[in-house]
Amino acid sequence: MPHIIIEHSEDLPVLPQVLVEKIHNAAFATGLFELPTIKTRAIAYTHYQLGDGKEGFIHIAVHIMAGRSIEQKQQLSESLLHCLQIYCRDSDSLSVNVHDMEHEIYRKC
């Protein structure tokens, strides 16, 4: 499992569904997760304000079960950021953060 949430400005240079697919596949390519366990979704924002010279933004929040090493989390965040850089403009603000989820607290059905 990871839950991958892509928050982005409405005016992406790539179709949101294409971005979801590319990020989903990039997460799988890290070798950290099995394909059926990855869940990826995107949320577009109409109202936002950015720093000077930025046209749009994409922020990826990846929620994974606790227990991965710092190196594995770095590999994941770097892979996803690299994927964003391929499909986005230099003027887009791009960021990725990996969050641990506690086994004792997380529930699903």
Side-chain angles (χ1 to χ4, degrees):
M1 88 99 81
H3 284 275
I4 302 171
I5 303 165
I6 306 168
E7 296 179 289
H8 63 86
S9 53
E10 225 175 24
D11 64 336
L12 290 181
V14 60
L15 292 173
Q17 183 56 40
V18 171
L19 183 61
V20 166
E21 291 169 10
K22 299 297 184 185
I23 292 298
H24 194 89
N25 291 333
F28 176 65
T30 65
L32 297 172
F33 313 104
E34 295 179 22
L35 190 58
T37 67
I38 303 170
K39 299 158 189 76
T40 308
R41 53 199 176 269
I43 304 167
Y45 288 87
T46 303
H47 306 286
Y48 55 90
Q49 187 170 345
L50 303 172
D52 289 341
K54 298 297 180 183
E55 291 182 50
F57 77 93
I58 301 175
H59 174 72
I60 299 178
V62 184
H63 300 272
I64 63 173
M65 295 308 291
R68 305 279 181 173
S69 69
I70 293 293
E71 292 79 16
Q72 289 172 314
K73 294 174 193 176
Q74 288 172 329
Q75 174 195 2
L76 176 59
S77 62
E78 289 171 11
S79 295
L80 298 183
L81 185 60
H82 177 71
C83 183
L84 288 179
Q85 290 170 321
I86 292 171
Y87 297 100
C88 296
R89 306 168 288 220
D90 289 339
S91 61
D92 289 325
S93 176
L94 308 176
S95 58
V96 178
N97 195 16
V98 178
H99 305 271
D100 282 334
M101 297 169 54
E102 299 298 327
H103 293 272
E104 298 83 9
I105 300 169
Y106 179 72
R107 300 290 184 266
K108 71 176 188 174
C109 55

